[in-house]
Amino acid sequence: VLSALDEGYHMIDCAEDYKNFEPVAAAIKKSNVPRSKLVLCVRGDGGRQSVVNSICNLFGCKPDDVGKGDNYIDLFMWHHGAEQFDKLQKVWPEWHQCHADGLVKHLGVSNIYQNGVKLLQQWCQIKKMTPPEVIQVEVNLRNQEHDFLDFCRQQHLLVMAFSPLGYANAGGNLSDDVVVKIAASKKCSSAQLILAFLIRLQMVPIPSSRSKEKIAENIKAVELAKQLNDEDCTQLKTCNWSFCSTDHANSAKEKD
């Protein structure tokens, strides 16, 4: 995590289930990146206590100090899709209050698609609560989700793409002939090209890597995205199989 911050990454994705607060907290403490420049994203399924615990774990503060100074979360997201919508309805009012109290700056959901998002938006409107602003779903070369992306743009929702290179490279994202050809012409890696393509599609890809070399390589996709032309993107769109590489993404789509 510290290597990523040193390379210029300022958004960190955490989750209660992943139990990765400790290394993230240590990296934040050692890093020279100002808190105002960091975007801390946390996924969880609990109510206010879940938010409070996350802040305490990330900043080493006491419960009485959450929401004060730098002790806040930029984005708190529902983790486990629409199949637990009843539970989501129970915790969302608590998150709404956390947002009002300054513990959380933005709210979002993951593994929820059009029907689930519409249902949540309508419910928030009726209850006069903070609606979701960010949706995190699996998007990559083999699962480009163009219809969903169009829906999110119309609703002014930011899409965050997990497994942007395909989980364990399922579907051969990196070795696709079209990708290899365009990457060679751009003098970049296949991973850089795919990440740049997703950025061009107006989403935020969140690649994961434990390799310092890959971490340094992946961030160059931001500049590469500016070099991709419409023809490049048209060719890359032909690589879409509508294939989710993770079981929970497939399950979420089936239940939407």
Side-chain angles (χ1 to χ4, degrees), residues 85-219:
F85 196 79
D86 289 346
K87 184 178 179 182
L88 174 58
Q89 287 181 307
K90 292 179 181 178
V91 302
W92 200 270
E94 296 184 32
W95 291 4
H96 167 76
Q97 191 59 50
C98 286
H99 178 268
D101 294 341
L103 278 65
V104 173
K105 301 300 182 183
H106 305 278
L107 297 177
V109 293
S110 63
N111 297 308
I112 295 182
Y113 293 83
Q114 284 99 316
N115 291 333
V117 172
K118 288 178 183 177
L119 187 62
L120 179 58
Q121 288 177 320
Q122 292 168 359
W123 185 75
C124 286
Q125 185 174 17
I126 293 171
K127 298 295 184 179
K128 294 182 171 54
M129 291 189 296
T130 309
E133 298 176 79
V134 180
I135 315 294
Q136 186 180 115
V137 294
E138 179 184 334
V139 188
N140 48 56
L141 185 74
R142 297 303 191 207
N143 187 52
Q144 297 182 22
E145 297 289 359
H146 292 293
D147 290 343
F148 183 62
L149 290 175
D150 288 342
F151 164 77
C152 288
R153 291 189 194 102
Q154 293 169 6
Q155 298 296 315
H156 305 291
L157 296 167
L158 176 67
V159 175
M160 190 178 292
F162 72 78
S163 297
L165 302 176
Y167 182 71
N169 195 31
N173 286 250
L174 301 177
S175 57
D176 182 272
D177 290 343
V178 173
V179 171
V180 172
K181 181 179 178 180
I182 297 177
S185 71
K186 303 292 183 183
K187 297 181 179 179
C188 66
S189 70
S190 293
Q192 287 173 325
L193 178 66
I194 293 172
L195 294 173
F197 172 56
L198 298 182
I199 293 171
R200 272 294 304 269
L201 293 179
Q202 300 179 346
M203 69 185 79
V204 179
I206 49 173
S208 175
S209 178
R210 295 183 180 181
S211 162
K212 291 183 179 181
E213 291 74 19
K214 293 297 183 183
I215 289 172
E217 176 185 296
N218 288 342
I219 199 170

Side-chain angles (χ1 to χ4, degrees), residues 38-94:
L38 289 175
V39 179
L40 297 179
C41 309
V42 177
R43 280 170 289 158
D45 296 326
R48 185 183 182 91
Q49 194 58 50
S50 181
V51 174
V52 170
N53 290 345
S54 297
I55 295 174
C56 291
N57 286 327
L58 286 169
F59 298 103
C61 64
K62 297 179 180 179
D64 288 345
D65 293 326
V66 299
K68 300 177 182 178
D70 294 339
N71 303 327
Y72 62 88
I73 292 172
D74 296 276
L75 171 63
F76 201 87
M77 292 179 285
W78 175 253
H79 198 169
H80 287 124
E83 68 271 16
Q84 299 181 36
F85 196 79
D86 289 346
K87 184 178 179 182
L88 174 58
Q89 287 181 307
K90 292 179 181 178
V91 302
W92 200 270
E94 296 184 32

